[in-house]
Amino acid sequence: SNSNFVLELDFEPFNASFPRPSMSKSIGNGVQFLNRHLSSKLFQDKESLYPLLNFLKAHNYKGTTMMLNDRIQSLRGLQSSLRKAEEYLLSVPQDTPYSEFNHRFQELGLEKGWGDTAKRVLDTLHLLLDLLEAPDPANVEKFLGTTPMMFNVVILSPHGYFAQSNVLGYPDTGGQVVYILDQVRALENEMLLRIKQQGLDITPKILIVTRLLPDAAGTTCGQRLEKVIGTEHTDIIRVPFRNENGILRKWISRFDVWPYLETYTEDVSSEIMKEMQAKPDLIIGNYSDGNLVATLLAHKLGVTQCTIAHALEKTKYPNSDIYLDKFDSQYHFSCQFTADLIAMNHTDFIITSTFQE
C-alpha cells in the first residue's frame, strides 16, 4: 500500500481465552465480573501470582519508580518485605507521614505509592497480603483501586465547536460539551485526592482534545489551548482537520468528518506528547468519531481505552442499517457503523447511558 493507513483485521481475539459475560445481567457489572475471573486465576497456584508481582514492579512515572524496587525479585521476597513493613508500621503512630519511613521502606524494596500515612500504608499492605494468601474479588477491586495508575488522561471530542461559552446551540454541540466539562472537573478532583492519599508528589494532567476551527465564528474554537474553568490541571487542546489541500477552516457536520480522522489522529498524537511530555495513562473517546480516534491512538500508543457511547446512531434512526442506501449519501452511516463496531470491540471498557448501547 502507498497509504500511511492500512486496514488491519485481527481475527485472533475470536479464539482468545479472555472472559466473556454470557448473561445480560453482567452488563453494567463488568468490573465485578472481571475481578471474579481475576481472583479465580490468581488462586490457581503460586505461579499464577507472578503477573501481580510484575504489575507492581512495572509501576513508574516518568522514570520514577513506585510500589516496588529491584530488591524484590520473588513472591517469597515480596511477602517477607510486606511482613517486615507491617511489623514496623505497628510500632509507629498511625498519622506518621510516609516521608518519615521512606528510607526504611526502600531498604525493604518498597517505594512510594502505598499511602501518605502509616495507617493508609498499613491498610494497603494488608490488602496485598490478603490477596497473596487467598485472592477474592472484593480485595482485588480494593487493592487495584488504591494502586496509583492514572496521572495523564486524554478525552476526545473531535467534531468541533467545543468551548466553554457561546457554543451551545451550534450544530452537534450541547449535551456532550456539558457532559465532558462536568466529567473533567470531577475526574481532576478524584485524581488529586487519590494521588495525595497514595503519598505521591505528582501533578496530574487532563487534556480535552477537539478540533481547531480557524473560522471560529466568535468563539474560542480558534485557540490552540484553553484552560478549563474551575480546574488547575485541565486544558482544551485543539488540533485542526487537514488534508492534501491544507487546513480545513470551516466547521463541517459530524456526519462528514470521516475522511479526516486518520490524519487527525497522527496530528493529535504528536500534540498530546508535546503537551504532556509523557504517554497518557487513559484515553477516553466520546461519540463515534471520538471513539474511532481513541481506538487508533490507544492502538498506536499502547494505552488503556475507554469508549463512551453517548447515542449510537443505529438506535436513533430505526432500520437505518436495512435502508442504508437511502441514508448513506447524507449521513454516511456505513462509515459510522463501522467506526462504532471497531471502537466497541477494541476498547478496554465501555460506558453507556442506555441498555441498548
Side-chain angles (χ1 to χ4, degrees), residues 93-332:
Q94 290 193 334
D95 59 353
T96 306
Y98 184 87
S99 56
E100 291 191 16
F101 51 87
N102 181 24
H103 293 301
R104 172 76 180 122
F105 264 46
Q106 283 182 324
E107 290 168 6
L108 293 172
L110 306 176
E111 296 286 343
K112 287 181 180 180
W114 296 92
D116 58 342
T117 63
K119 181 184 185 311
R120 196 164 272 125
V121 173
L122 189 59
D123 289 344
T124 310
L125 292 182
H126 282 159
L127 280 173
L128 183 54
L129 281 166
D130 288 346
L131 272 185
L132 294 172
E133 289 294 328
D136 76 83
N139 278 349
V140 170
E141 184 168 349
K142 280 182 194 169
F143 179 71
L144 292 179
T146 61
T147 306
M149 286 187 268
M150 293 295 152
F151 309 108
N152 295 312
V153 177
V154 167
I155 298 175
L156 289 149
S157 179
H159 54 248
Y161 279 135
F162 191 109
Q164 297 175 85
S165 59
N166 301 325
V167 294
L168 298 185
Y170 273 85
D172 302 338
T173 63
Q176 189 182 139
V177 174
V178 175
Y179 173 89
I180 293 173
L181 289 173
D182 282 348
Q183 183 189 46
V184 294
R185 292 184 183 105
L187 193 56
E188 183 182 292
N189 288 336
E190 181 68 20
M191 288 166 73
L192 286 168
L193 176 65
R194 288 196 187 198
I195 289 168
K196 178 185 176 298
Q197 290 178 343
Q198 288 156 350
L200 298 170
D201 183 23
I202 292 172
T203 303
K205 184 75 177 167
I206 301 175
L207 285 179
I208 302 169
V209 179
T210 188
R211 184 187 163 202
L212 186 138
L213 289 163
D215 294 350
T219 70
T220 55
C221 297
Q223 293 178 14
R224 177 182 175 272
L225 211 59
E226 180 181 350
K227 178 68 69 181
V228 174
I229 298 162
T231 69
E232 294 178 54
H233 312 293
T234 304
D235 294 296
I236 301 166
I237 185 167
R238 299 184 180 90
V239 180
F241 284 172
R242 64 181 180 87
N243 57 21
E244 63 276 5
N245 299 319
I247 288 172
L248 201 68
R249 298 191 59 82
K250 294 186 181 296
W251 174 87
I252 55 170
S253 163
R254 62 187 163 88
F255 294 112
D256 297 322
V257 299
W258 307 106
Y260 302 95
L261 294 183
E262 286 168 315
T263 303
Y264 182 75
T265 301
E266 296 294 311
D267 294 343
V268 164
S269 176
S270 56
E271 287 294 323
I272 61 177
M273 294 297 281
K274 191 190 308 177
E275 202 61 37
M276 287 184 159
Q277 297 295 301
K279 281 203 305 187
D281 303 299
L282 174 65
I283 293 173
I284 302 173
N286 289 272
Y287 203 74
S288 304
D289 55 339
N291 286 324
L292 183 62
V293 175
T295 300
L296 296 170
L297 266 181
H299 184 67
K300 177 184 172 74
L301 300 176
V303 172
T304 304
Q305 178 189 353
C306 165
T307 283
I308 300 183
H310 288 277
L312 299 180
E313 298 294 348
K314 208 175 218 183
T315 61
K316 284 165 61 178
Y317 294 81
N319 300 324
S320 53
D321 47 352
I322 298 173
Y323 301 109
L324 196 65
D325 291 345
K326 177 180 167 187
F327 289 110
D328 211 40
S329 59
Q330 182 179 356
Y331 294 115
H332 304 298

